[in-house]
Amino acid sequence: MKHYIINIVYITLFVLSLCCGATSCGHPEKAEVCEEYPPIYPNYTEVTIPYNIAPLNFLMRNEPSRVEVSVKGKDRSLLLRSNYKVQFSEKRWRQLLEAEKGGELRVYVKARVDGKWIQYAPFSWTVAEDSIDPYLSYRLIEPGYEVWNAIQLRERNLESFAERVIADNNLTGKSCMNCHTYSRNDPSLSFFHLRGEHGGTILNRNGTLRKLNTQAIGMPSSAVYGEIHPSGRYGVFSANVIVPEFHTLDNKRLEVYDSTSDVYLLDFDTNEIQPVPFPGKEGVEYLRSFPVFSPDGRTIYYCEAPKVALPDSIIHLKYDLLGISFDPATQAFGTEADTLYSSVTGGKSVCHPKVSPDGKYLLYTLADYGTFPIWHRETELRMLNLRTGETDSLEEVNAPCSDTYHSWSSDSRWFVFASKRDDGIYGKPYFAYIDHDGKAHKPFVLPQRDPAHYDYTLKSYNIPELSTGPLPFDAKDIERIWRDSEAEEVNWK
Amino acid sequence: MKKHITIALDWGISPVLGISVWLFFAVFYRHHWHYQEQMQLFLFTPEYFMEQIVKPGGLSVYLGGFFTQFFYDSFSGAFGLSLLLVFMQRLVADTANHISRKPDWRLLSCIPPLLYACFLCNEDVLISGTVALVSATATVALYNRIGNPKVRRVFFFLMIPVLYFLIGMGAFVFVLLPPLTEWVRKTRSAAAVWLCMLLPGLLIFACMTYLMKFFMVQYPVERYWLAGDYYRFVNAASLYFLSAFLTAVIIPLLFAVLPEKKRSIAWWRYGLQLLLCVAVVVWGTMNMADWKKEELMAYDYYARTQKWNSILAMADKEAPSGPFTVSMLNLALAKTGYLPEYMFTYYQNGAEGLIPDFRRDNLQPLMAGEIYYHLGLVNTAQRYTFEAMEAIPDAGKSVRCIKRLVETNLINGRHEVAAKYLSLLKHTLFYRKWAKETKEYLHNEERINAHPEWGTLRAYRPADDFLFSETEKDQMLGLLFQHNPSNRTAYEYLLGFALLKKDLQAFQTYYRLGEGAVAYDAPPRSYQEALALIWSQANYEQALKPQGLSDQTVQRLETYRNTFTSHANPELLLKQSGGNTYWYYYHFGNK
């Protein structure tokens, strides 16, 4: 009897609450029309996405009590009712994008705000026919100054939300570790640097890990920036003595420059290293950094600046973009370097050149001065067409805060970069599409299962790099090589 | 009589223990806990809960953080902590009772909580360990209440992995106590206990650590052995916990062998136990309590909460001597307008005591950051805050740092990042209100400009960019003052810096910078003393007499000089007669 009464009470309460909901909160059909886009975060309005990307979950900044989202394509559609966080089913999302490949999706958002339904202006998601490389590696670190604590390298599957740790400084004596770099998006050819005691450059060649001490006697430092030759035999690296300084003006944070730097070629087969004999002007000392290979491996692109008095003349420290020929068979270098961007005529400083795998474009970062663009708010990306010599200012892509640390997908249709556009401090990976006419499209941020993820995380995503498959190692392998292996020494050639 | 004593002991021990612990941590040792409270960011969000709970020992970490946040108010925080320790005592007594009911020895149950309370005097010992021990002993109590031996065994083997996952390393108390209880109560044979309970239990415990390592590769295996983060240096093994946890195992077991006197009262037993408890407390407070750090943390707490007069009152009781405590005193003097007047009334230990150099630490940069903040070097204050948060050994976040980062970013007009930090603070218990109020300042420049602190600091910030230099603090202070001559703190720090460096020439140059810009009725005492000293070095040439220098100061200097020159070893004598003068510092200070 007692249970019977309790059940009746519960049923009555349930029915009453339904009635209350129906009467006081109205129907989505009677929504008030708003001509603005919904206040969604991340801003996924009017973006171009690959058909193999994970669901673009988002949240409504005005925190409505209910949201109704309808995503309509030509053949398929998807309806979702949720609270202020909109999280799509992975399976249904995948089916939708697969069906609408090459088409356009219209997204209709209705939200119940303060008891009233609002119908926002619909926006589009263009589903490109080109897929994106399915794996992304990045370094997670607090965007600090000199002190670091927890650093991780992670690999994320872009087709889902799966993520795994590929290196963690908890396992390597809390040492600093630099970002992970692939050669031509190949998961079996990559490297990163582990600093500190037992550190070294960790080279992954066909799943075999090696640890190298890349600082030969007399070099200013061990390897810093660089890339592996497409053949896998060579690495071109800069060795930099890096000095951090701290600004006192409100809109500036950190200035990092090299007191000395130069570029070296390392043969991984013989462990022999040699300075790259760049042609220079007599009596002028240069700083050289950010060397990369062209996709055919026959050119080395790099940045070069004449030395100035530092830090006093830091604003006059401007890097040119140059290219020099290289013969992998003989390890011979050209005697003349081509200037692709001159800081004298252009007035700015170049960093991080990256050539698209098809050899058509060279993407680089442009800052007012210096060599550490992540703390330069004015930093923007530029795309040089190596065939026509034209430079695209990528207006669709750049935002007011730093956009840098970019890398291409293997089909040269997508590139990923770290942008601080949301708050100026915390970098996040954004993906931009380059269509077959060479036009760049509005980028979108790496989607997360929980759309509030970027609100809560205090980590910055550094050097996001795309790859065609998962890496053949994980954090345990890195722990093992850090702990158990002596670093191989390199010698001068 | 014996019955009454037993009841009184049973009901009296816990309140006495609780009140003692409460008073100690709420009144006498509260600043350590204020420090602990700042060094975490406890959020009431499902994401934060999940982030904690997925790690082995996550529940104790979560609950430890939950209790620690209440030290925002030391009385509330200490109440929660004492409650936990009382629970621990009751649970130890419960297990002891289960083994053998000997009320005469009840006081022994206080030893594990007292020992743990002593360990908690170390600022790096976290409450998560207390939670873990309470949880482990509570699970033992549950085990003891299961009548059916088969069910008891199933419960035992089931709870080891569960408890390990929830509370971490402390689960070993549960691995040990039930089998040993069965053994001493003779409910099972020694062989059965060892072979069928203890060894498999230990094996499960060990397997859990390796299993966790298998699934969560990012930590070294030691971290899984020490799961639960009972110590801020999470990968460091500490004997503290082992000893406290072992007492919680050994003391109940002792009840099986302790003698019992049924009729009369054995007063010596109470005396012995009391003596033992007192010995634990005396040993613990002598070895674990660090009163120098308590003083440092008190200065930091008052500086953080801007209770400048409390700092002065503390210094009047006992003058600080460490660079960081002295620097907080100097900041308090500057904020109350007394720096140039009374600076040398207190002990000074050089320029380090005015603005300490940067150190990789989670507290000292915060204290130095307070100075930069109040000077108007907002970017430097922000950097020090960020670095301090990064230096927290367990890689946690700090509510104090986040709050300060909100302020520095608002002052700098970085509203987006300030909003991000505010969105975190709005999920805390004690900073929610502040976050809500501060949210009103976002994207409202006029309102920030009108804020009594932020608006002023905004105006103090340098207009032209320069790179911060630890070795050229005086130049930076000079630039700050030149940018905004109303920044009196920068001016007084600039002069103070020169005085502490004993650089009279620089003092004279800097002093002239403020003429006309900084209004004093008469030059403050330490400036007068320095000016008199400079003039004396020019043989009191009338034409060179500094403006505003009083004759009285010159007379005092002459008296000082007479003593200085007429004695072979005048230091002690001058300390008594002129120890509070700049001259004494100039000759004998900061050697």
Side-chain angles (χ1 to χ4, degrees):
Chain A
M1 183 60 188
K2 196 178 164 189
H3 288 288
Y4 181 71
I5 292 167
I6 290 171
N7 284 341
I8 286 183
V9 171
Y10 274 124
I11 290 165
T12 313
L13 283 173
F14 179 69
V15 171
L16 278 174
S17 67
L18 283 182
C19 294
C20 166
T23 52
S24 65
C25 307
H27 295 281
E29 289 74 24
K30 292 175 186 169
E32 209 172 84
V33 176
C34 171
E35 290 188 355
E36 287 174 5
Y37 284 148
I40 64 168
Y41 180 82
N43 182 359
Y44 285 140
T45 58
E46 310 299 335
V47 292
T48 301
I49 57 174
Y51 66 85
N52 60 333
I53 194 75
L56 298 193
N57 295 338
F58 60 83
L59 57 83
M60 299 283 285
R61 276 282 182 239
N62 53 351
E63 296 193 7
S65 52
R66 296 298 293 163
V67 176
E68 188 182 286
V69 178
S70 159
V71 186
K72 290 180 183 166
K74 203 173 162 194
D75 300 319
R76 269 180 178 264
S77 64
L78 204 152
L79 181 70
L80 181 73
R81 292 189 179 95
S82 71
N83 59 10
Y84 78 103
K85 284 184 181 177
V86 177
Q87 292 165 287
F88 298 99
S89 140
E90 283 186 55
K91 191 178 163 194
R92 292 180 65 197
W93 173 268
R94 210 172 297 130
Q95 288 167 347
L96 175 74
L97 262 59
E98 193 64 43
E100 301 297 331
K101 202 188 290 181
E104 194 180 82
L105 297 169
R106 296 287 284 169
V107 186
Y108 300 86
V109 178
K110 286 180 195 169
R112 195 172 68 197
V113 183
D114 298 331
K116 271 198 302 189
W117 280 95
I118 299 170
Q119 166 79 64
Y120 292 97
F123 56 90
S124 302
W125 287 335
T126 306
V127 185
E129 276 185 337
D130 303 291
S131 66
I132 193 164
D133 289 346
Y135 288 88
L136 182 78
S137 76
Y138 39 79
R139 179 173 74 158
L140 288 182
I141 188 172
E142 270 83 355
Y145 297 79
E146 281 186 298
V147 181
W148 71 86
N149 198 328
I151 305 178
Q152 279 188 334
L153 300 183
R154 289 195 188 187
E155 182 185 74
R156 163 78 188 267
N157 185 340
L158 295 181
E159 296 177 343
S160 67
F161 296 108
E163 194 185 29
R164 72 185 179 110
V165 181
I166 53 174
D168 190 312
N169 75 336
N170 269 312
L171 301 170
T172 57
K174 283 280 171 189
S175 57
C176 180
M177 56 177 75
N178 299 134
C179 302
H180 178 260
T181 307
Y182 299 95
S183 173
R184 309 290 141 215
N185 314 87
D186 181 357
S188 60
L189 193 57
S190 67
F191 74 93
F192 70 94
H193 311 298
L194 265 179
R195 306 296 181 189
E197 208 180 349
H198 307 302
T201 296
I202 307 295
L203 176 70
N204 151 42
R205 278 208 301 187
N206 303 317
T208 307
L209 294 180
R210 288 168 62 191
K211 185 164 76 177
L212 296 121
N213 173 11
T214 49
Q215 187 175 14
I217 296 164
M219 270 174 72
S221 75
S222 52
V224 180
Y225 305 104
E227 201 177 71
I228 303 177
H229 192 266
S231 69
R233 179 172 170 182
Y234 306 110
V236 64
F237 295 107
S238 64
N240 314 52
V241 177
I242 294 169
V243 183
E245 299 273 5
F246 311 102
H247 288 284
T248 44
L249 201 65
D250 57 343
N251 62 352
K252 295 182 173 185
R253 187 172 165 105
L254 190 63
E255 194 64 59
V256 180
Y257 59 85
D258 300 339
S259 62
T260 179
S261 61
D262 215 336
V263 173
Y264 300 83
L265 183 84
L266 173 60
D267 186 335
F268 294 126
D269 288 351
T270 62
N271 280 4
E272 285 181 329
I273 198 163
Q274 57 176 309
V276 177
F278 293 107
K281 291 172 199 134
E282 217 164 285
V284 182
E285 270 193 276
Y286 288 96
L287 297 169
R288 294 190 186 93
S289 202
F290 310 118
V292 290
F293 288 107
S294 60
D296 62 4
R298 301 190 68 83
T299 307
I300 294 171
Y301 295 101
Y302 62 101
C303 299
E304 178 184 87
K307 262 190 178 176
V308 293
L310 293 170
D312 297 346
S313 298
I314 185 76
I315 59 164
H316 302 298
L317 180 69
K318 294 182 180 181
Y319 284 76
D320 299 331
L321 173 63
L322 298 104
I324 189 168
S325 63
F326 170 65
D327 183 351
T330 61
Q331 298 183 29
F333 299 92
T335 50
E336 267 184 47
D338 291 334
T339 303
L340 285 88
Y341 177 91
S342 163
S343 62
V344 176
T345 50
K348 302 231 173 189
S349 184
V350 178
C351 295
H352 301 298
K354 289 270 183 174
V355 189
S356 61
D358 61 6
K360 193 174 174 187
Y361 301 110
L362 191 152
L363 201 58
Y364 60 90
T365 295
L366 213 53
D368 282 352
Y369 63 90
T371 179
F372 208 71
I374 59 162
W375 291 119
H376 279 243
R377 293 171 75 86
E378 79 284 357
T379 298
E380 288 189 342
L381 292 167
R382 293 283 184 272
M383 190 170 72
L384 172 68
N385 187 323
L386 290 168
R387 291 175 192 164
T388 63
E390 283 173 10
T391 300
D392 186 339
S393 58
L394 296 175
E395 277 173 24
E396 263 305 299
V397 175
N398 288 309
C401 295
S402 163
D403 295 314
T404 180
Y405 281 165
H406 41 278
S407 84
W408 289 91
S409 70
S410 57
D411 64 357
S412 306
R413 295 266 73 86
W414 298 92
F415 66 84
V416 60
F417 60 101
S419 176
K420 294 178 186 284
R421 64 191 59 197
D422 278 355
D423 50 44
I425 302 283
Y426 294 90
K428 304 174 187 82
Y430 276 75
F431 303 90
Y433 180 62
I434 303 291
D435 63 24
H436 293 264
D437 300 324
K439 185 180 173 298
H441 291 237
K442 183 184 170 187
F444 64 95
V445 75
L446 173 68
Q448 300 289 349
R449 190 188 300 278
D450 179 357
H453 170 82
Y454 294 118
D455 283 345
Y456 295 129
T457 186
L458 293 173
K459 301 277 186 190
S460 221
Y461 288 71
N462 281 11
I463 313 252
E465 291 241 335
L466 289 159
S467 96
T468 52
L471 283 160
F473 62 87
D474 68 12
K476 270 186 285 187
D477 301 308
I478 300 303
E479 179 187 21
R480 213 168 292 128
I481 196 166
W482 173 80
R483 191 186 52 216
D484 301 336
S485 303
E486 282 296 315
E488 299 170 31
E489 296 296 328
V490 301
N491 300 302
W492 290 112
K493 188 179 174 191
Chain B
M1 176 70 176
K2 174 160 170 98
K3 195 180 164 195
H4 290 306
I5 295 264
T6 308
I7 292 170
L9 263 182
D10 200 17
W11 289 103
I13 290 173
S14 306
V16 170
L17 173 76
I19 289 167
S20 313
V21 170
W22 180 52
L23 283 177
F24 180 74
F25 286 124
V27 179
F28 302 106
Y29 211 68
R30 65 185 189 276
H31 298 299
H32 265 73
W33 287 98
H34 287 140
Y35 163 86
Q36 293 249 26
E37 185 267 333
Q38 295 160 48
M39 290 298 151
Q40 67 161 27
L41 178 67
F42 186 88
L43 302 177
F44 284 95
T45 61
E47 293 83 6
Y48 180 78
F49 176 73
M50 287 311 292
E51 194 184 305
Q52 302 296 328
I53 206 75
V54 293
K55 290 183 278 189
L59 185 68
S60 60
V61 173
Y62 184 82
L63 291 176
F66 174 81
F67 280 104
T68 305
Q69 71 181 326
F70 287 95
F71 278 98
Y72 179 82
D73 169 63
S74 55
F75 281 89
S76 316
F79 181 74
L81 184 56
S82 60
L83 216 57
L84 277 174
L85 291 168
V86 165
F87 275 135
M88 192 191 289
Q89 180 266 326
R90 301 294 304 176
L91 289 161
V92 170
D94 182 83
T95 309
N97 271 347
H98 181 73
I99 289 170
S100 176
R101 195 172 175 79
K102 289 170 183 165
D104 284 358
W105 296 99
R106 178 61 58 86
L107 259 172
L108 286 179
S109 62
C110 290
I111 289 179
L114 281 176
L115 198 60
Y116 214 100
C118 294
F119 295 152
L120 286 166
C121 290
N122 181 317
E123 72 277 10
D124 293 317
V125 173
L126 309 176
I127 297 186
S128 53
T130 324
V131 172
L133 190 50
V134 169
S135 310
T137 45
T139 318
V140 173
L142 266 179
Y143 172 90
N144 291 337
R145 276 164 178 73
I146 300 171
N148 186 323
K150 277 186 188 164
V151 177
R152 220 159 52 214
R153 233 162 293 148
V154 171
F155 180 79
F156 175 70
F157 288 115
L158 201 71
M159 282 311 288
I160 292 172
V162 171
L163 212 53
Y164 170 80
F165 192 78
L166 294 177
I167 66 166
M169 182 184 77
F172 87 84
V173 170
F174 182 74
V175 178
L176 297 179
L177 249 182
L180 295 174
T181 304
E182 300 266 7
W183 181 46
V184 296
R185 290 185 76 215
K186 299 188 172 48
T187 46
R188 301 196 74 186
S189 68
V193 164
W194 282 93
L195 293 174
C196 302
M197 284 188 82
L198 202 54
L199 287 177
L202 288 168
L203 198 68
I204 294 172
F205 183 83
C207 286
M208 280 303 291
T209 60
Y210 288 99
L211 198 68
M212 286 298 125
K213 171 71 183 167
F214 181 77
F215 285 114
M216 300 170 81
V217 294
Q218 66 264 40
Y219 300 114
V221 75
E222 307 89 82
R223 180 85 184 262
Y224 295 104
W225 281 104
L226 302 170
D229 299 357
Y230 309 153
Y231 195 49
R232 205 183 298 280
F233 294 87
V234 286
N235 289 339
S238 172
L239 288 177
Y240 303 157
F241 308 108
L242 200 65
S243 55
F245 285 21
L246 280 177
T247 56
V249 175
I250 293 164
I251 282 174
L253 295 174
L254 275 180
F255 275 62
V257 291
L258 287 169
E260 192 183 11
K261 204 171 185 183
K262 286 193 173 151
R263 301 218 173 125
S264 59
I265 303 160
W267 289 106
W268 68 270
R269 284 183 193 168
Y270 298 127
L272 183 73
Q273 291 175 78
L274 198 63
L275 205 67
L276 209 60
C277 289
V278 171
V280 166
V281 171
V282 170
W283 174 86
T285 41
M286 281 178 73
N287 288 283
M288 302 304 298
D290 188 334
W291 297 102
K292 270 278 156 207
K293 273 190 186 162
E294 178 66 11
E295 185 201 21
L296 177 80
M297 288 165 182
Y299 274 102
D300 174 56
Y301 172 74
Y302 291 133
R304 168 169 71 97
T305 50
Q306 303 193 6
K307 291 176 179 164
W308 309 117
N309 288 324
S310 301
I311 291 183
L312 299 184
M314 254 185 96
D316 286 339
K317 265 190 208 163
E318 190 185 344
S321 56
F324 282 89
T325 45
V326 170
S327 70
M328 290 298 100
L329 168 64
N330 284 332
L331 180 63
L333 285 170
K335 293 302 288 182
T336 47
Y338 295 133
L339 185 68
E341 198 67 38
Y342 295 116
M343 192 175 174
F344 294 97
T345 307
Y346 302 93
Y347 172 79
Q348 292 292 337
N349 53 7
E352 259 287 276
L354 196 66
I355 309 178
D357 284 342
F358 179 77
R359 288 171 206 189
R360 192 189 163 125
D361 180 75
N362 57 324
L363 178 63
Q364 292 170 356
L366 280 180
M367 297 172 83
E370 289 290 344
I371 300 167
Y372 286 116
Y373 178 77
H374 289 285
L375 281 169
L377 276 170
V378 176
N379 272 18
T380 308
Q382 180 170 286
R383 174 165 76 91
Y384 276 48
T385 308
F386 214 102
E387 303 286 51
M389 188 157 71
E390 272 301 276
I392 296 174
D394 61 1
K397 297 294 160 222
S398 148
V399 69
R400 171 187 181 175
C401 294
I402 297 287
K403 188 169 174 247
R404 175 49 53 87
L405 290 174
V406 169
E407 293 178 310
T408 56
N409 280 292
L410 276 180
I411 293 167
N412 278 339
R414 297 278 192 95
H415 298 279
E416 290 79 11
V417 74
K420 179 185 174 84
Y421 295 138
L422 280 173
S423 74
L424 292 172
L425 289 181
K426 81 173 185 195
H427 294 295
T428 61
L429 188 60
F430 294 106
Y431 299 86
R432 182 180 298 159
K433 189 170 167 253
W434 184 86
K436 204 177 160 193
E437 287 164 5
T438 308
K439 209 176 165 194
E440 301 298 316
Y441 287 84
L442 288 173
H443 305 286
N444 192 340
E445 298 295 334
E446 273 179 32
R447 200 162 173 187
I448 296 171
N449 290 337
H451 189 280
E453 183 173 295
W454 302 336
T456 310
L457 293 177
R458 209 172 226 207
Y460 283 176
R461 288 173 311 156
D464 300 316
D465 188 33
F466 55 87
L467 295 173
F468 177 86
S469 169
E470 192 106 87
T471 53
E472 295 168 318
K473 286 175 188 151
D474 52 344
Q475 288 191 31
M476 291 190 302
L477 290 167
L479 287 168
L480 262 185
F481 175 66
Q482 280 181 322
H483 161 63
N484 191 334
S486 69
N487 189 348
R488 194 177 175 131
T489 313
Y491 179 68
E492 290 175 353
Y493 263 70
L494 177 67
L495 294 192
F497 196 84
L499 289 178
L500 290 169
K501 283 264 188 195
K502 303 181 184 178
D503 187 346
L504 292 175
Q505 203 182 344
F507 171 79
Q508 208 171 9
T509 312
Y510 299 153
Y511 182 74
R512 283 185 196 131
L513 281 178
E515 280 174 349
V518 181
Y520 294 110
D521 295 336
R525 185 175 152 171
S526 60
Y527 300 170
Q528 290 241 17
E529 288 170 353
L531 291 171
L533 193 62
I534 293 165
W535 194 38
S536 74
Q537 287 169 353
N539 295 320
Y540 298 123
E541 198 179 314
Q542 203 55 40
L544 298 175
K545 186 179 180 184
Q547 209 179 1
L549 175 63
S550 71
D551 295 340
Q552 199 192 5
T553 308
V554 178
Q555 273 169 11
R556 281 199 299 118
L557 175 61
E558 277 311 296
T559 315
Y560 176 93
R561 270 163 61 125
N562 285 339
T563 317
F564 188 83
T565 49
S566 59
H567 291 81
N569 192 7
E571 185 174 351
L572 201 64
L573 204 63
L574 283 171
K575 191 174 184 181
Q576 285 160 2
S577 60
N580 60 352
T581 62
Y582 176 63
W583 310 313
Y584 180 80
Y585 173 83
Y586 185 80
H587 289 124
F588 306 108
N590 192 38
K591 284 176 185 168

